[in-house]
């Protein structure tokens, strides 16, 4: 009976730890999305300002190409950051539960 109680307690602890880690990681991911949205809004305003100041077609093309290049670089960096944070959310959520399952399997095998 004590083994079952210990297993239930350990499982409950693992789920609590999982929830706490998930919450923190999810908050970090939410913050990253908010920062991304704010940065994108600023970048859009800056781009409109830059394009509105051009004086001839060749300058327009030059500014446009620069904005496209910067936009692609930013999109790649942002997507890598979001992917890393998303992975962290799932790892934080499932790692404590995974460890508990492994511990249960070990105790059952012994």
């Amino acid at each position: 009976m004590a083994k079952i109680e210990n297993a239930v307690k350990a499982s409950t602890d693992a789920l609590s730890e999982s929830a706490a880690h998930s919450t923190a990681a999810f908050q970090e991911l939410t913050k990253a999305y908010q920062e991304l949205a704010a940065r994108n809004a600023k970048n859009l305003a800056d781009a409109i300002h830059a394009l509105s100041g051009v004086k001839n077609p060749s300058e327009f093309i030059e500014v446009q190409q620069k904005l496209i290049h910067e936009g692609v670089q930013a999109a790649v960096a942002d997507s890598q950051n979001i992917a890393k944070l998303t992975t962290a959310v799932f790892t934080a959520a499932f790692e404590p539960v995974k460890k508990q399952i492994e511990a249960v399997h070990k105790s059952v095998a012994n």
Side-chain angles (χ1 to χ4, degrees):
M1 193 69 150
K3 253 187 170 182
I4 293 173
E5 289 173 357
N6 288 340
V8 169
K9 183 181 178 335
S11 294
T12 303
D13 291 346
L15 289 174
S16 295
E17 182 181 350
S18 175
H21 289 299
S22 297
T23 300
F26 188 73
Q27 288 172 343
E28 195 174 324
L29 183 60
T30 300
K31 181 181 174 191
Y33 272 114
Q34 290 169 339
E35 290 171 356
L36 176 62
R39 191 169 51 252
N40 284 342
K42 183 188 178 310
N43 289 346
L44 177 60
D46 291 348
I48 290 170
H49 180 72
L51 288 172
S52 68
V54 299
K55 295 173 180 49
N56 57 53
S58 63
E59 188 179 350
F60 178 84
I61 291 170
E62 182 182 318
V63 170
Q64 182 185 37
Q65 287 177 343
K66 178 182 172 236
L67 292 171
I68 290 169
H69 178 74
E70 290 172 354
V72 169
Q73 285 183 326
V76 169
D78 290 340
S79 66
Q80 288 173 340
N81 185 42
I82 295 295
K84 183 179 89 175
L85 290 172
T86 302
T87 301
V89 167
F90 285 105
T91 300
F94 296 113
E95 190 63 29
V97 175
K98 178 184 166 201
K99 287 179 183 177
Q100 179 56 31
I101 291 170
E102 290 170 352
V104 168
H105 282 287
K106 266 186 195 175
S107 69
V108 170
N110 292 332

